[in-house]
Amino acid sequence: MRLSAALLAVVSLSAQEGRQPLARAILKELIEINTTDSAGDTTRAAEVLAMRFRVAGFPEGDIHVDGPAPRKHNLVVRLHGSGAARPILFIGHLDVVEANGSDWSFDPFQLREQDGYFYGRG
């Protein structure tokens, strides 16, 4: 399963803070959005994440969903620092490789937990 480093960090930090149900809900929500190039919609995933950032208290002006085509948008979120250190940029991607359902033993667009691991498309 391919996930961006940012999503893995969210899941890891949330687990450390005792927020496993929230982290799992976000992971489930994103895995179950088809973001493949041929039929998927990264805009939907970007909007879901943007909503999560709004709920977390990020100002609307620091959340941007935009892209080259209606179903090919991405998300940019700014987290303001104190200015004491150099800025940092984290980059990830929302799209995943094609997931042909016949190649999987389960639906690739449904979160599956097995033997302590999470599985999903990509």
Side-chain angles (χ1 to χ4, degrees):
M1 175 171 65
R2 293 175 59 154
L3 293 175
S4 72
L7 179 57
L8 289 175
V10 167
V11 172
S12 176
L13 290 173
S14 294
Q16 291 173 15
E17 297 173 6
R19 296 187 180 143
Q20 291 98 337
L22 176 59
R24 189 182 192 290
I26 293 169
L27 182 63
K28 180 180 184 339
E29 190 171 34
L30 291 174
I31 283 178
E32 295 181 357
I33 298 172
N34 181 342
T35 60
T36 59
D37 185 55
S38 64
D41 189 345
T42 59
T43 300
R44 184 169 161 226
E47 289 171 348
V48 162
L49 286 170
M51 182 271 308
R52 294 286 186 171
F53 279 102
R54 287 182 194 100
V55 168
F58 280 73
E60 188 64 38
D62 290 339
I63 302 169
H64 306 278
V65 175
D66 197 8
R71 63 180 188 88
K72 302 281 186 186
H73 288 187
N74 287 293
L75 172 68
V76 176
V77 179
R78 180 175 183 192
L79 172 62
H80 294 267
S82 66
R86 293 180 58 189
I88 187 168
L89 174 67
F90 293 100
I91 300 174
H93 60 90
L94 295 174
D95 63 327
V96 298
V97 297
E98 297 298 320
N100 185 351
S102 65
D103 294 337
W104 292 65
S105 59
F106 58 90
D107 183 349
F109 296 103
Q110 295 293 316
L111 178 65
R112 181 177 182 147
E113 186 175 357
Q114 183 176 327
D115 300 324
Y117 294 93
F118 293 106
Y119 297 91
R121 53 126 168 81

